[in-house]
């Protein structure tokens, strides 16, 4: 994705923007109509398309999905195109948990982010912006196993099963709705002095930070469905199981142990945000978890299910 930012035009819609991706049909019509341009791109390494997309822009926001290949290789391809086009403001693919707390191997999905950060700091004139917002609310408390830390039984009742290790149920879970994240991202992009001057850095924001049990209580209140919160053992149990899986399947098995790896990191407190955490409520009041769930239920009802929006 690319975005033009004009200093005298405030958040959010006054700045014209364009996008790059496989095909504009992947976007909702309302977004396609709002774009100044859309540059088709066959892959993350389609350098001619990337060069066309970044030419003449003021800022780039890389919104690649959660994928190690895109985090590292895709990010570097786009960054090199941005360098050639003399673009100074570059939001790297992020919107993640606070990876500044971890080291290589603590959570293997983020190893590619750490590698990108290290390499770019040493080998690029661009100082990227990294946005930390925890887990997207849309992935939490799903009646199907579509989010880290929760596992559903697949039944249409809407019931949810959440598993944790050690004292993971007492740890604060930072989360953000996608709408909140979009509003806060645009605010920072348009009005943060360090970002506007190309200094980059890590910026943290969130919609909320309840515990797992607090979220479960809200889910039960809103949906009337029970949430089963289950301890799967001690932190040490989880660490031993994770080490065994790593030895058994090697690096290529990271997806098979992703849920376990995230649970271990959560129980170790690695996802707790470092300070400072920005208060951007002046832009948009943070969505509460109850508000998010009620919106999700409304969408689910329109789609024929309870809170099962994709």
């Amino acid at each position: 994705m690319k975005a033009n930012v004009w200093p005298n035009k405030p958040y959010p819609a006054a700045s014209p923007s364009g996008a790059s991706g496989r095909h504009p049909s992947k976007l909702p019509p309302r977004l396609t109509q709002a774009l100044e341009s859309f540059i088709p791109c066959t892959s993350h390494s389609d350098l001619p398309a990337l060069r066309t997309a970044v030419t003449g822009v003021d800022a780039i926001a890389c919104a690649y999905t959660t994928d190690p290949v895109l985090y590292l290789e895709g990010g570097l391809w786009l960054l090199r195109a941005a360098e050639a086009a003399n673009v100074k403001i570059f939001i790297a693919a992020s919107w993640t948990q606070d990876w500044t707390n971890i080291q290589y191997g603590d959570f293997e999905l983020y190893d590619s982010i750490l590698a990108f950060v290290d390499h770019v700091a040493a080998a690029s004139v661009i100082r990227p912006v990294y946005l930390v917002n925890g887990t997207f609310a849309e992935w939490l408390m799903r009646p199907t196993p579509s989010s880290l830390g929760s596992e559903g039984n697949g039944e249409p009742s809407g019931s949810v099963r959440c598993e944790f290790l050690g004292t993971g149920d007492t740890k604060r879970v930072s989360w953000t709705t996608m709408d909140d994240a979009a509003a806060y991202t645009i605010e920072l992009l348009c009005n943060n002095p360090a970002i506007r001057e190309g200094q980059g850095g890590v910026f943290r924001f969130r919609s909320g930070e309840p515990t797992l049990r607090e979220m479960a209580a809200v889910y039960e209140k809103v949906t009337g469905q029970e949430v089963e919160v289950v301890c799967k053992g001690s932190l040490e149990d989880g660490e031993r199981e994770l080490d065994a899986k790593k030895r058994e399947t090697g690096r290529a098995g990271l997806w098979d142990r992703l849920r376990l790896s995230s649970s271990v990191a959560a129980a170790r407190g690695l996802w707790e945000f470092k300070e400072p955490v920005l208060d951007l409520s002046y832009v948009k009041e943070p969505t509460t978890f109850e508000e998010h769930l009620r919106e999700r239920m409304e969408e689910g009802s329109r789609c024929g299910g309870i809170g099962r929006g994709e």
Side-chain angles (χ1 to χ4, degrees), residues 105 108 236-254 256-257 260:
E108 293 164 289
E236 292 73 19
D237 292 335
E239 289 174 333
R240 283 192 292 271
E241 182 181 356
L242 182 59
D243 288 342
K245 288 182 177 294
K246 288 181 178 179
R247 290 193 298 270
E248 178 183 350
T249 60
R251 292 300 299 274
L254 76 90
D256 293 333
R257 55 181 177 265
L260 174 61

Side-chain angles (χ1 to χ4, degrees), residues 212-225:
L212 185 61
R213 292 192 182 277
E214 288 170 346
M215 284 193 295
V218 173
Y219 185 92
E220 291 177 342
K221 172 187 173 183
V222 172
T223 67
Q225 302 294 334

Side-chain angles (χ1 to χ4, degrees), residues 38 216 252 272:
F38 186 95
E272 296 178 8

